[in-house]
Amino acid sequence: MRIHHIGYLVKKIEKARAAFVKLGYEIETEIVYDDIRKADICFLKKDGYRVELVSPVSDDSVVANLIRQYRNAPYHLCYASDSFEQDCASLESGGYVRMGEDCPAPAMGGKKVAFFFSSAIGIVEVAEEA
Ligand code: NI
C-alpha cells in the first residue's frame, strides 16, 4: 500500500483551505459534500503530499464526535491499495479493527474505502486504487 493522503479534521473548511493555500498548497479538488459521512471534503497537494480536509456538517456526522475530541488536527493516514480485499484482511488479522461498513467516497470519485482502528496508532483508511 502507498500513502494516499493525510486526513485533517477542520471546523471551517473554507478557512482551513485558505490557511493551507497560504502555506503553498494547491487546491486539488473543490469542496464536495459527502452525504454518507455528512461532511464537507476537499483535497489539497504540496510537494507530492496530499491533504484531505474533512469538516462535519451536522451533529450526526461520523466525524462530529472526533472533532470535539481532536479540534482542528490531522486524524488519519489513508493508504491506496491495488489489492483492496487482501490488504484489508491482512490488517484485520494483524489486529486492526474494522470501523463500520466499507462505503464509497464521493470526494474520491466514488472509490471504495474502509476504515480501521488500532489502539496503538488510531485511525487508518484504505482506499481501493482502481
Ligand atoms: Ni481520508
Side-chain angles (χ1 to χ4, degrees):
M1 299 194 292
R2 300 168 306 280
I3 294 177
H4 185 271
H5 65 256
I6 300 154
Y8 217 105
L9 277 174
V10 296
K11 288 182 187 166
K12 298 203 161 76
I13 198 163
E14 277 166 26
K15 272 191 168 178
R17 186 172 67 171
F20 274 105
V21 166
K22 269 225 158 80
L23 282 170
Y25 284 75
E26 281 174 31
I27 292 171
E28 187 183 25
T29 69
E30 286 308 314
I31 298 167
V32 169
Y33 176 64
D34 179 331
D35 66 351
I36 299 166
R37 295 165 187 87
K38 301 198 187 332
D40 281 333
I41 294 173
C42 69
F43 288 91
L44 298 123
K45 271 190 123 168
K46 179 172 165 58
D47 307 330
Y49 292 91
R50 183 183 285 116
V51 168
E52 172 189 43
L53 302 183
V54 181
S55 184
V57 166
S58 58
D59 279 345
D60 58 343
S61 165
V62 288
V63 291
N65 283 327
L66 289 176
I67 204 158
R68 279 190 280 273
Q69 191 183 338
Y70 292 103
R71 299 175 160 272
N72 298 306
Y75 75 112
H76 74 261
L77 262 68
C78 175
Y79 298 87
S81 164
D82 296 321
S83 322
F84 183 78
E85 298 303 338
Q86 217 173 303
D87 285 332
C88 288
S90 151
L91 285 179
E92 280 192 291
S93 64
Y96 285 79
V97 178
R98 214 150 175 151
M99 300 165 71
E101 295 291 306
D102 303 352
C103 50
M108 294 171 70
K111 269 185 196 170
K112 200 199 271 184
V113 302
F115 284 89
F116 295 87
F117 184 77
S118 155
S119 56
I121 63 165
I123 299 169
V124 168
E125 178 181 17
V126 177
E128 185 171 41
E129 194 67 280

